[in-house]
Amino acid sequence: GGGGLGSLLDIVPSCEFMRETLGEEPYLEAVLMALRALTQLSRLKEAGALVDEALVYGRFQETSHRHLLRVWAVIVSLNAGESLAAFDAVRYACNLRPHSIPVWNLFNKVICNTAHSNHHYKFILRCLQRNPTSVPCMVLMGHHCHMAGSTKFAIGEYLRAYKAMPNEPIINLLIGVGYISHVMSRRCQDRHTTAIRAFTFLFQYARLRQWSQEVYFNLGRAFHQLSLLSFATPCYEHVLAMAPPREGGGTLDLKREAAYNLSLIAMSTGASTQHA
């Protein structure tokens, strides 16, 4: 009859009943399976309602379980295009796990999709003040200083991150790029020493990244930036000769970019474009 659906909904057990019956761990697994399925099916409104219900105070006692659900709240909000809700959810996750690189990677993805780009740096600053040993916070503050034109402050933050993680390739690359930027600024008083510092960290990055295609391209860009074209050219030629690495299930091939930069060098020097 017409009341069939209503009567069926009346006998659906509540979330509280399910948690008490199954126990917290099995109930969490069921919630996560449902969230994955709903997100894959683009039923984001229902996924949002489910994660909100799961995050009701007292529903889950374990901090790690609540943290996982907060991450799912970010994912669902982001996929639904609700940037402000995603930002609120990811801030909670960052405060909970201020040293977690995956959580801060998710934070970066959120802020790339929000128009309020200035607000998030105030949050990062507060988070860094509360957690002064958080390497992701140091790096993000360094990015902010670099984009604001405060190269020295950016290098200072990157160097603090380097002390904590000296064998992290990206940190060595960031310090090298920071010094290259400082070489190009009018405020640099000793360009030669600063350039040596830059390439010290860039070659350390190259060693840690095992001289991959990406490494040769970035070294070529650094030499190119400083108009050291005789050093930039062989780096770009290495890029053309090397196979691109496969990372994260995809292939990032920099041959086109390297060939374009070689053409710029050829035009600037009046040489024939033998790499065309």
Side-chain angles (χ1 to χ4, degrees):
L5 181 58
S7 60
L8 178 63
L9 291 174
D10 289 340
I11 64 171
V12 173
S14 68
C15 293
E16 182 64 26
F17 175 82
M18 292 291 289
R19 188 187 72 81
E20 292 296 330
T21 304
L22 297 174
E24 185 166 319
E25 195 79 36
Y27 177 57
L28 177 68
E29 291 180 12
V31 169
L32 294 179
M33 287 178 62
L35 285 172
R36 290 190 192 97
L38 291 169
T39 304
Q40 288 173 358
L41 293 170
S42 298
R43 293 167 62 176
L44 300 172
K45 187 175 181 180
E46 293 160 89
L50 177 59
V51 78
D52 287 343
E53 176 64 32
L55 283 169
V56 169
Y57 180 77
R59 189 80 77 215
F60 289 94
Q61 303 298 325
E62 289 288 331
T63 302
S64 59
H65 294 169
R66 293 198 302 273
H67 170 67
L68 190 55
L69 289 166
R70 286 287 179 179
V71 172
W72 266 102
V74 179
I75 294 169
V76 171
S77 300
L78 198 57
N79 279 285
E82 298 173 357
S83 57
L84 290 178
F87 184 54
D88 287 339
V90 81
R91 284 193 304 177
Y92 181 93
C94 290
N95 281 323
L96 201 63
R97 298 285 297 278
H99 299 275
S100 172
I101 293 175
V103 167
W104 283 102
N105 285 341
L106 188 58
F107 176 87
N108 286 332
K109 190 169 184 180
V110 169
I111 62 175
C112 286
N113 287 274
T114 180
H116 304 286
S117 57
N118 293 328
H119 295 168
H120 63 266
Y121 284 112
K122 295 178 183 177
F123 166 72
I124 295 168
L125 179 59
R126 289 194 300 270
C127 195
L128 183 59
Q129 289 170 341
R130 289 192 297 266
N131 306 277
T133 59
S134 170
V135 172
C137 286
M138 296 175 200
V139 170
L140 289 173
M141 277 308 302
H143 292 347
H144 173 60
C145 293
H146 204 158
M147 288 190 293
S150 303
T151 311
K152 282 189 175 182
F153 289 107
I155 294 171
E157 290 296 333
Y158 295 149
L159 286 172
R160 288 208 309 130
Y162 174 81
K163 289 178 182 178
M165 301 178 69
N167 293 319
E168 176 58 45
I170 187 67
I171 294 176
N172 283 271
L173 175 62
L174 289 170
I175 297 170
V177 170
Y179 278 124
I180 292 289
S181 297
H182 190 51
V183 170
M184 304 298 293
S185 73
R186 296 178 181 177
R187 288 170 287 186
C188 184
Q189 297 179 351
D190 190 345
R191 297 183 189 280
H192 291 91
T193 302
T194 305
I196 290 170
R197 288 175 181 165
F199 284 103
T200 298
F201 283 99
L202 288 173
F203 281 114
Q204 172 76 348
Y205 148 76
R207 182 185 65 80
L208 292 168
R209 288 290 288 166
Q210 300 179 343
W211 295 92
S212 63
Q213 187 197 63
E214 163 212 308
V215 164
Y216 279 106
F217 181 79
N218 285 331
L219 285 176
R221 283 289 296 116
F223 286 125
H224 199 167
Q225 187 83 8
L226 299 179
S227 297
L228 298 172
L229 304 184
S230 60
F231 292 103
T233 299
C235 288
Y236 290 142
E237 288 173 343
H238 268 92
V239 174
L240 297 178
M242 295 176 72
R246 288 188 171 272
E247 295 182 355
T251 301
L252 178 63
D253 195 346
L254 295 166
K255 286 186 173 64
R256 179 178 296 181
E257 289 80 2
Y260 176 74
N261 289 347
L262 279 170
S263 71
L264 293 179
I265 292 174
M267 286 188 290
S268 68
T269 59
S272 61
T273 55
Q274 59 178 342
H275 303 286

